[in-house]
RNA sequence: GGGGACGUAGAUCAAUUGGUUAGAUCGUCGCCCUGUCACGGCGAAGGCUGCGGGUUCGAGCCCCGACGUCCCCGCCA
């Protein structure tokens, strides 16, 4: 075959007069009856090629036969385009290749959609023909960005003495956390491997082994429902370090994030990153991953409504629940009756009964209440105040989400701004009323803050964990913690989680045992690589940053996975459906 | 498990109150065209209105059901 001497992105004026060979895919073929123009594309760019019947009458027939997405090789001489025929929109727009030889390497069927960046083909169709979708320069750019970011990460961590060590994919199912993907064992019938939700236990064991600094860019699997930013298999930048405290983690990881944004976006992020305690994040923004670009904050006005003339809120206070408000400054004129109804529907998803506008309940309020609200919420002309009263979790979840929704709807902030912060001091545990037991907020190996150890015997939900999340623009990019390296504290946590000694021994006895063989103090963090790329690429869909993603029902429209299997395979595994 | 939006030529969409032969653009195919780059001109083909029921004299449109895609809640240590 005619092997390329250059890529389709390279031809520039410096190469004029040179004889070169290009390989690539035909984009638009413009047949003028005599002259034929073919845009030739590969992942590096697009170059215009010309077939001129005066020069090569023998080629004109096959040139006319070219169709979109045919694969060709062309040899010819690069020349500058005629006066007034330059294309300023193309990086190679000053030149064109006058074709002397043309080889059709492969014909293409008519593609089911046009291979263009601004394709309007449905995502369903694009996923079915993902290999065609991936030919679009926009997606190619993202995957090249992903490669670059992964490379930078690998080099940075390696330069900081981290070792990349692989951990098993066929591993052991452990309680707590997400639903596992299970893999049946053929050799040991009735037993199953689990695909890792993360390499958590293994990386801790690597610390026990003395590897000190570990990282891995690694696939993780969680059999949970999907979202715009969640896939069942996703990639983590997984890190763990020994003989360190939280500040060491912040320090090293901030360096990585700063480098990624600098190299990939040319953006200088300010260090150190700001920090916000979990309880303040929830109090002010109703969320443990606040987007602080949106100006309005939640304010607790529970006490003002004690004994209020607005009976609904008075009884909320009575029952020990809370009332919070957001003051949407200077938006009363833009906020329609319909917007209020929409907001009311919106919060119902979070279990709230509805949203009240201060204007709507004004007639039930006494002067003292009005005055208190006005000064507390700093209400001015043209402000609109929305309130929700309910149990704290419902109020924070609903009003926090509503704040973000309205902030985006009313374009209340500069989308180019980056809000980056560590959310710290997560509670170690929450109490699950349904199961009547504590559950870890992060995971069962997270160390409690030593200052709060005494709460473990009184009210464990008051104990803070040495855990942290990195949050950018309201999205959790990663999180981690200092781990428990003390067997006794680990046992205490299991007790609170109501994991029996037998269960603990059976499920992660190997870790517990390891903790008794000289485990160093250690901790770590894992970033969602996919989400980092989403941020860098500025896309809202995780599917845009994964070469072969799954739909919201976790299927692959291209390969049609998951699918049924041969009964013989099941028999071999000892499985009956 | 729950809520919402959508499903009509190859693609993206339209079709008045339920009423004649379901339209447009892009793509495809054919002919013409020597400076286009979203080339242009003329012409043509292409539809069981995603699937299964129902209401009606009559259904793309109304009702019911399953399916698929997307968004959200639950879930995601």
């Amino acid at each position: 075959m005619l092997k390329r001497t250059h890529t389709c992105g390279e031809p520039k004026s410096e190469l004029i007069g040179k004889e070169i060979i290009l390989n690539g895919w035909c984009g638009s073929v413009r047949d003028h009856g005599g002259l034929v123009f073919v845009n030739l594309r590969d992942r590096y760019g697009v170059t215009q090629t010309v077939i001129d019947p005066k020069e090569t009458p023998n080629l004109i027939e096959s040139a006319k036969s070219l169709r979109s997405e045919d694969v060709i090789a062309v040899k010819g001489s690069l020349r500058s385009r005629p006066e007034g025929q330059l294309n300023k929109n193309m990086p190679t727009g000053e030149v064109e290749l006058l074709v002397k030889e043309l080889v059709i390497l492969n014909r293409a069927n008519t593609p089911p959609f046009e291979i263009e960046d601004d394709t309007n083909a449905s995502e369903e169709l694009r996923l079915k023909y993902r290999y065609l979708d991936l030919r679009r320069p926009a997606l190619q750019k993202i995957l090249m960005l992903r490669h670059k970011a992964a490379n930078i990460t690998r080099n940075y961590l390696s330069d900081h003495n981290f070792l990349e060590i692989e951990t098993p994919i066929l591993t052991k199912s452990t309680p707590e956390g997400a639903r596992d993907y299970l893999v049946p064992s053929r050799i040991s019938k009735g037993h199953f491997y689990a695909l890792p939700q993360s390499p958590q236990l293994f990386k801790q064991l690597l610390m026990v082994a003395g590897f000190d600094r570990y990282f891995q860019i690694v696939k993780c699997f969680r059999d949970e429902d999907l979202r715009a930013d969640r896939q069942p298999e996703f990639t983590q930048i997984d890190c763990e370090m020994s003989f360190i405290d939280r500040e060491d983690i912040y320090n090293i990881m901030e360096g990585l994030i700063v480098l990624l944004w600098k190299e990939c976006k040319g953006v200088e992020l300010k260090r150190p990153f700001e920090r916000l305690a979990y309880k303040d994040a929830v109090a002010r923004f109703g969320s443990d991953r606040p987007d602080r670009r949106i100006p309005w904050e939640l304010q607790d006005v529970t006490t003002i409504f004690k004994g209020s003339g607005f009976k609904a809120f008075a009884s909320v206070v009575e029952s020990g629940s809370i009332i919070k408000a957001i003051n949407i400054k200077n938006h009363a004129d833009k906020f329609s009756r319909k917007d209020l109804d929409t907001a009311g529907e919106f919060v119902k998803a979070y279990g709230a009964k509805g949203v009240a506008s201060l204007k709507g309940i004004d007639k039930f309020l006494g002067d003292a209440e009005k005055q208190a609200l006005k000064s507390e919420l700093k209400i001015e002309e043209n402000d609109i105040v929305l309130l929700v009263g309910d149990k704290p979790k419902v109020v924070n979840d609903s009003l926090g989400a509503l704040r973000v929704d309205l902030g985006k709807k009313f374009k209340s902030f500069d989308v180019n701004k980056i809000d980056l912060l560590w959310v710290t001091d997560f509670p170690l545990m929450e109490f699950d009323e349904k199961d009547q037991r504590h559950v870890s907020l992060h995971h069962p190996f997270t160390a409690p803050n030593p200052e709060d150890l005494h709460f473990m015997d009184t009210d464990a939900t008051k104990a803070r964990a040495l855990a942290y999340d990195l949050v950018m623009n309201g999205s959790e990019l990663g999180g981690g913690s200092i781990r428990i390296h003390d067997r006794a504290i680990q046992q205490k946590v299991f007790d609170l989680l109501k994991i029996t000694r037998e269960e603990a021994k059976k499920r992660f006895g190997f870790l517990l045992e390891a903790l008794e063989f000289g485990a160093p103090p250690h901790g770590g963090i894992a970033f969602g690589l996919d989400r980092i790329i989403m941020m860098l690429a500025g896309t809202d869909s995780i599917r845009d940053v994964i070469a072969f993603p799954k739909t919201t029902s976790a299927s692959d429209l291209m390969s049609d996975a998951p699918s049924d299997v041969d009964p013989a395979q099941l028999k071999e595994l000892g499985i009956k459906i």
Side-chain angles (χ1 to χ4, degrees):
Chain A
M1 71 166 274
L2 267 185
K3 281 193 196 168
R4 62 182 174 190
T5 58
H6 295 76
T7 69
C8 297
E10 284 178 291
K12 301 275 166 66
S13 42
E14 306 89 80
L15 288 173
I16 285 171
K18 289 256 165 37
E19 179 112 316
I20 65 169
I21 300 172
L22 298 179
N23 296 163
W25 286 262
C26 295
S28 72
V29 177
R30 300 178 295 280
D31 176 359
H32 284 248
L35 276 181
V36 178
F37 295 96
V38 179
N39 278 358
L40 198 60
R41 186 193 71 238
D42 62 18
R43 78 170 160 101
Y44 306 92
V46 179
T47 294
Q48 171 165 288
T49 66
V50 197
I51 297 93
D52 187 338
K54 273 196 308 213
E55 306 272 346
T56 50
N58 57 315
L59 294 186
I60 222 60
E61 194 182 336
S62 54
K64 283 176 186 296
S65 79
L66 290 174
R67 294 292 175 269
S68 194
E69 301 311 313
D70 284 346
V71 186
I72 63 171
V74 287
K75 182 175 178 181
S77 57
L78 200 69
R79 65 184 189 189
S80 70
R81 296 195 188 185
E83 195 76 23
Q85 298 295 334
L86 309 191
N87 186 338
K88 292 197 181 67
N89 300 321
M90 280 172 84
T92 64
E94 290 184 10
V95 298
E96 64 187 10
L97 188 75
L98 179 64
V99 176
K100 307 251 176 71
E101 280 181 55
L102 167 65
V103 180
I104 296 167
L105 299 172
N106 206 356
R107 295 284 191 183
N109 289 341
T110 301
F113 54 90
E114 291 159 60
I115 313 297
E116 291 167 352
D117 270 354
D118 52 352
T119 181
N120 50 10
S122 71
E123 187 162 20
E124 194 171 354
L125 191 71
R126 287 168 41 209
L127 287 174
K128 182 172 176 192
Y129 298 95
R130 185 62 164 176
Y131 45 89
L132 297 180
D133 196 26
L134 289 172
R135 271 186 203 164
R136 293 164 49 230
L139 281 189
Q140 297 209 331
K141 266 196 205 98
I142 292 178
L143 290 186
M144 289 189 271
L145 171 70
R146 187 177 175 125
H147 164 79
K148 184 178 179 183
N151 236 359
I152 289 168
T153 300
R154 205 166 250 128
N155 290 334
Y156 174 89
L157 292 172
S158 181
D159 289 346
H160 285 79
N161 246 350
F162 287 75
L163 294 176
E164 185 164 26
I165 301 173
E166 289 167 89
T167 52
I169 292 293
L170 295 176
T171 171
K172 187 179 167 79
S173 179
T174 52
E176 304 285 304
R179 193 177 294 112
D180 284 323
Y181 276 101
L182 295 177
V183 180
S185 164
R186 173 184 58 83
I187 292 168
S188 178
K189 287 200 178 46
H191 289 181
F192 294 83
Y193 301 98
L195 303 182
Q197 299 172 27
S198 83
Q200 183 60 37
L201 298 181
F202 292 101
K203 68 175 174 178
Q204 291 192 239
L205 292 166
L206 287 170
M207 293 305 107
V208 177
F211 284 102
D212 208 68
R213 291 186 169 198
Y214 142 95
F215 86 99
Q216 196 179 181
I217 296 177
V218 63
K219 273 287 177 74
C220 300
F221 307 86
R222 294 179 190 175
D223 187 5
E224 298 292 349
D225 286 349
L226 293 84
R227 286 287 189 282
D229 63 352
R230 255 166 45 189
Q231 285 268 306
E233 57 175 306
F234 60 100
T235 305
Q236 280 190 347
I237 303 167
D238 192 45
C239 304
E240 196 79 4
M241 305 167 76
S242 293
F243 309 117
I244 47 92
D245 57 23
R246 281 185 289 182
E247 295 299 328
D248 296 303
I249 303 263
Y250 298 155
N251 192 34
I252 292 229
M253 297 306 155
E254 285 183 6
L256 172 61
I257 297 296
V258 165
L259 186 65
L260 283 171
W261 256 258
K262 186 177 169 193
E263 296 292 319
C264 298
K265 297 269 285 183
V267 168
E268 293 282 352
L269 298 174
K270 222 174 67 200
R271 285 184 71 178
F273 301 168
E274 288 177 55
R275 299 175 197 177
L276 187 65
Y278 169 89
K279 68 171 177 13
D280 296 327
V282 171
R284 290 170 56 193
F285 306 102
S287 169
D288 61 358
R289 46 181 178 91
D291 186 337
R292 300 178 305 173
R293 296 173 304 173
I294 297 155
W296 325 305
E297 296 192 12
L298 277 56
Q299 282 181 273
D300 195 320
V301 290
T302 310
T303 52
I304 296 174
F305 282 97
K306 192 170 179 192
S308 169
F310 184 52
K311 296 297 177 217
F313 277 2
S315 69
V316 164
V317 181
E318 202 68 23
S319 68
S321 289
I322 64 166
I323 298 148
K324 280 187 166 184
I326 48 174
N327 180 0
I328 305 173
K329 304 296 290 180
N330 201 30
H331 270 71
D333 55 340
K334 301 183 196 83
F335 200 87
S336 66
R337 172 70 220 205
K338 189 163 181 288
D339 288 327
L340 184 63
D341 292 342
T342 308
E345 287 305 311
F346 182 89
V347 297
K348 279 181 187 163
Y350 298 85
K353 286 164 208 74
V355 166
S357 80
L358 192 54
K359 208 173 90 189
I361 63 170
D362 187 74
K363 54 182 174 285
F364 304 109
L365 304 179
D367 287 341
E369 282 171 85
K370 287 185 197 172
Q371 203 47 51
L373 285 168
K374 192 170 176 186
S375 76
E376 183 69 26
L377 297 170
K378 300 191 172 57
I379 300 171
E380 295 171 309
E381 190 64 26
N382 202 30
D383 288 357
I384 173 135
V385 174
L386 301 178
L387 307 101
V388 174
D390 215 305
K391 291 193 279 285
K393 182 173 162 46
V394 171
V395 170
N396 287 323
D397 286 355
S398 60
L399 210 49
L402 181 62
R403 168 183 172 274
V404 172
D405 187 61
L406 294 177
K408 289 181 175 162
K409 193 182 286 174
F410 288 116
K411 300 191 182 0
S412 67
F413 60 92
D414 175 6
V415 289
N416 294 316
K417 206 175 138 190
I418 294 176
D419 177 38
L420 181 60
L421 72 156
W422 293 106
V423 175
T424 65
D425 296 322
F426 281 79
L428 186 66
M429 298 176 182
E430 287 176 331
F431 191 73
D432 186 317
E433 295 291 342
K434 198 175 71 220
D435 292 355
Q436 283 295 302
R437 68 174 190 111
H438 290 87
V439 289
S440 294
L441 222 73
H442 188 50
H443 56 55
F445 317 108
T446 302
N449 190 317
E451 295 168 23
D452 296 351
L453 271 179
H454 62 281
F455 285 125
M456 308 267 296
D457 299 315
T458 52
D459 181 359
T461 62
K462 290 205 175 101
R464 289 165 299 167
L466 297 177
Y468 32 81
D469 277 1
L470 186 68
V471 174
M472 182 181 282
N473 297 350
S475 172
E476 181 199 326
L477 291 190
S481 63
I482 303 300
R483 325 297 184 189
I484 297 169
H485 63 276
D486 179 290
R487 178 69 173 86
I489 295 176
Q490 186 67 71
Q491 188 56 55
K492 186 134 226 161
V493 169
F494 285 153
D495 289 345
L496 285 161
L497 299 177
K498 293 222 172 126
I499 297 174
T500 64
R501 278 165 203 253
E502 295 71 44
E503 184 75 2
K505 192 173 171 205
K506 189 175 162 204
R507 295 300 175 187
F508 17 68
F510 57 106
L511 177 75
L512 299 178
E513 198 170 22
L515 291 179
E516 298 187 288
F517 279 102
H522 63 285
I525 192 165
F527 294 101
L529 178 65
D530 312 278
R531 286 187 187 169
I532 287 177
I533 306 303
M534 284 172 71
M535 283 288 162
L536 289 171
T539 175
D540 289 329
S541 170
I542 195 171
R543 294 180 299 280
D544 290 342
V545 302
I546 295 176
F548 300 101
K550 293 182 174 53
T551 66
T552 44
S553 47
S555 63
D556 175 351
L557 295 180
M558 189 181 64
S559 71
D560 199 32
S563 60
D564 54 13
V565 294
D566 194 303
Q569 287 178 283
L570 289 178
K571 199 174 169 218
E572 218 167 22
L573 295 166
I575 290 177
K576 271 204 189 107
I577 303 286

